[in-house]
Amino acid sequence: MDPTLKTRTISALKEAIPELSPRLKTVAKYIVDHPNDFGLDPIRETARKCGVSTYTLVRMAARMGFDSYDELREPFRHALVSANALVDRPDWIESIRLRGDLGAVQAEAALNTMAIVQRSLERQNSDEMERVVELLLGARNVYLTAVRASYALAYYFHYVGRMALPTLQLVPRHINSAIDELNTAGEGDVMIAISFQPYSRETIEACRFANARGVKLIMISDSEVISSEFRPEAVLVASTVSTHHFGCYTGAMAIIENLLALLVSRGGAAARQRIKSYEDLRKDNNAYWIAQKKL
């Protein structure tokens, strides 16, 4: 499910309202004003609340480019399930919500962020996470690929992860394509691919290429079903439901942080020694700014 579809549908409804017939205008306004109820209620209940027929709701879906009413309702239902994952709502959320229009936006975004972190982490099976860590530690080479917004996640994963996993390589490098740098990959290697809807063509092609070479795939994504053209060994699914027009990546980052913790722990004394060597190297080369003491 595209995490931005609910937001984009609401925006499209707002833009379309002036051109809609009176009944469709009523439906559009109801969806915009009551998105949670729309995602929760069955079609007959929504029709009752709007004061229109179920046929009008079906026409609304068609008018907005959906194949069915259920297809129109699905992103609202999906967002409702993910957003309600967080049971306890801190008092500070409500205090922010009361600070005007922007306060309400900030409160909803903060609540969504906490909810998708919780939702993403609770989906991770400990046995599966352990299996992934063993695959990574046992691989000859571990390739890590992502592009566009997902590249930031991959860069951080590589920057920290290589200290515990020295075989970790970020691809593409130096403006190459990932496939260029997978030319010598094969059985015994593993590739981690990070991608979320809409999936980047380069990442999907790299997965297909690597899988054909016998490379085992580990996906960090928003769905277990991504492409029929390759078969991952494991998919770590993160919720990316967002209150704005782009997917929210805090759930994916939480999964990456868990993986890093497991890799450092399983890496033992050797991993700790590598981390120390990086820290010493940075200190020796003045990598970090230190405030001058006043005389």
Side-chain angles (χ1 to χ4, degrees), residues 14 16 21 36 40 44 60 80 89 105 116 119 123 126 137 148 154 161 186 194 197 218 234 240 245 276 283:
K14 289 178 180 178
S21 67
N36 289 350
L40 181 65
R44 291 187 183 278
M60 182 79 254
L80 185 63
R89 300 193 176 199
V105 173
I116 66 171
R119 178 65 174 161
R123 294 188 65 169
S126 58
L137 291 173
R148 300 183 179 84
I194 305 175
Q197 291 193 42
I218 296 168
T240 54
H245 278 66
K276 184 179 184 302
K283 289 178 182 177

Side-chain angles (χ1 to χ4, degrees), residues 31-52:
I31 296 173
V32 170
D33 292 343
H34 307 281
N36 289 350
D37 286 349
F38 181 65
L40 181 65
D41 293 335
I43 187 170
R44 291 187 183 278
E45 179 63 13
T46 299
R48 184 190 67 79
K49 289 182 177 180
C50 290
V52 300

Side-chain angles (χ1 to χ4, degrees), residues 22 31 92 112 158 178 186 205 221 228 278 280:
I31 296 173
W92 60 266
N112 179 74
H158 176 256
E205 289 179 351
S221 189
S228 60
Y278 274 99
D280 290 344

Side-chain angles (χ1 to χ4, degrees), residues 89-111:
R89 300 193 176 199
D91 292 339
W92 60 266
I93 289 284
E94 296 308 315
S95 67
I96 291 175
R97 192 188 304 277
L98 297 175
R99 297 179 66 85
D101 292 342
L102 279 181
V105 173
Q106 181 182 348
E108 286 302 315
L111 189 62

